[in-house]
Amino acid sequence: MEQIIQMESMVSGVASRMDRLVHKPSTRVQACQLLAKTKDLQKEINDFTLPDLEAEYTEEEGDRLDVALDKYNEIRQSLAETQAKAETLCVCWNKLDQDVTELTAAITSGGASKITMERLEESIKTLKEMFVEKKTIIEDIAPAAVEI
């Protein structure tokens, strides 16, 4: 019974901390913090030793274990989805920053004449696509994190 209580406590604590995560990051820093915190929570979940599933339990203990295992699996799935989306978002934001920095540097250093119109249009198109992708990812993160 003690292992079940420990599992319930751990699951409850992780779910509570998941509720406090930023659900719609609006900056690269927030997205990367979400990624780091999600990884930490995943590590905590994955490092937890599950109760012996082959042991004999009373009906009440078995019911509590089933509920705790269901929540455990829901949290693991939600964290995996949030981590994947946060990773994509961080990569997207890093690429955006890189493109904007490159364009800004070229324009401010007088190298704008070296940038072809085709390259500029390509960069603007890429930026637009990344903003759309970022928006979609941000909208998808909130439901995955809130469902628990």
Side-chain angles (χ1 to χ4, degrees):
M1 182 66 161
E2 186 177 322
Q3 288 180 318
I4 296 171
I5 293 170
Q6 289 174 348
M7 182 175 187
E8 290 170 333
S9 176
M10 184 274 304
V11 166
S12 176
V14 169
S16 176
R17 282 177 280 160
M18 282 178 65
D19 289 341
R20 292 191 301 263
L21 292 176
V22 173
H23 295 298
K24 290 192 175 191
S26 57
T27 66
R28 181 177 67 168
V29 171
Q30 286 179 341
C32 292
Q33 287 173 342
L34 175 63
L35 176 60
K37 290 176 183 177
T38 301
K39 283 182 176 182
D40 289 344
L41 291 174
Q42 263 191 321
K43 181 173 177 6
E44 183 176 340
I45 284 281
N46 291 335
D47 289 350
F48 183 80
T49 303
L50 295 174
D52 183 2
L53 302 178
E54 301 298 322
E56 292 291 323
Y57 295 105
T58 66
E59 187 173 334
E60 177 191 350
E61 291 171 339
D63 290 345
R64 286 178 70 174
L65 180 58
D66 287 344
V67 169
L69 285 170
D70 287 345
K71 287 182 182 178
Y72 173 86
N73 288 325
E74 287 173 18
I75 288 172
R76 283 187 58 197
Q77 180 65 33
S78 178
L79 285 171
E81 290 171 7
T82 301
Q83 179 181 340
K85 291 172 185 175
E87 283 175 342
T88 302
L89 195 53
C90 287
V91 167
C92 181
W93 243 307
N94 287 338
K95 176 71 171 131
L96 278 171
D97 282 353
Q98 180 183 359
D99 286 353
V100 169
T101 301
E102 180 182 318
L103 289 172
T104 302
I107 291 170
T108 58
S109 69
S113 60
K114 295 178 185 175
I115 297 178
T116 64
M117 197 59 163
E118 182 179 299
R119 171 70 176 118
L120 186 58
E121 287 174 354
E122 179 184 316
S123 293
I124 290 171
K125 179 182 174 198
T126 301
L127 289 172
K128 284 181 183 178
E129 290 170 356
M130 293 186 119
F131 277 118
V132 169
E133 181 179 353
K134 177 183 74 96
K135 182 180 180 209
T136 303
I137 293 168
I138 289 171
E139 289 170 355
D140 287 347
I141 285 177
V146 173
E147 288 174 5
I148 298 298

